[in-house]
Amino acid sequence: MVSVRQHGFTLVEVMVTLAIVGIVSAVALPAYSGYVARSKVPAGFESLSSTATRLEQFYQDTGNYGVGSCGSGYVMPAPSGSFGGVTCVLTNSGQGYEMTVTGTGTLEGYKYSINHRGERKTLAHPKGVPSGNCWSTKGNTCDAS
């Protein structure tokens, strides 16, 4: 009599494989989501920086940052990507401003600002706000790089 050898996996082998895949997914997915969220943050920085540059040009032309609104007729950038639009508040009778951009969707909980002195601040971040004036952080401290 010839013995027939069956091919395939046992139930134990399949269960061990599924357990390994589940553990790897549980670790990798949150890390990947964090990387994706951090890759979207620079768009908010760019909106603030480019608008600050335009406001400085406006100041050079007029001697103030606006009357009634930032840039007095200058249109603030529209919402881009995962950030709402830039909001701007005049201070010191048009001699200063404070602009902010707030995350939406996957960047809910992120908020950054810049003012007429060029001070960059992280106002809200899911992992905490750094003590210094900066946008880029490593943990809860400002990233010098």
Side-chain angles (χ1 to χ4, degrees), residues 52-73:
T53 300
R54 290 187 192 111
L55 283 175
E56 291 303 325
Q57 291 169 341
F58 185 86
Y59 186 87
Q60 292 298 315
D61 293 342
T62 64
N64 62 43
Y65 291 106
V67 178
S69 65
C70 290
S72 295

Side-chain angles (χ1 to χ4, degrees), residues 25-144:
S25 296
V27 171
L29 191 59
Y32 176 73
S33 298
Y35 288 126
V36 170
R38 284 192 302 276
S39 73
K40 296 177 181 180
V41 169
F45 298 161
E46 193 279 326
S47 292
L48 287 174
S49 294
S50 64
T51 305
T53 300
R54 290 187 192 111
L55 283 175
E56 291 303 325
Q57 291 169 341
F58 185 86
Y59 186 87
Q60 292 298 315
D61 293 342
T62 64
N64 62 43
Y65 291 106
V67 178
S69 65
C70 290
S72 295
Y74 171 74
V75 178
M76 290 293 165
S80 63
S82 296
F83 282 95
V86 173
T87 59
C88 184
V89 176
L90 291 175
T91 60
N92 196 21
S93 300
Q95 295 301 303
Y97 66 85
E98 179 85 22
M99 279 191 299
T100 59
V101 67
T102 304
T104 59
T106 58
L107 292 184
E108 189 80 32
Y110 290 77
K111 188 173 185 178
Y112 302 97
S113 74
I114 190 169
N115 64 22
H116 61 282
R117 291 184 297 274
E119 295 173 341
R120 300 170 176 190
K121 295 180 185 175
T122 301
L123 301 175
H125 192 280
K127 293 186 178 181
V129 177
S131 58
N133 291 339
C134 62
W135 285 338
S136 180
T137 60
K138 283 188 178 178
N140 287 345
T141 59
C142 290
D143 182 9

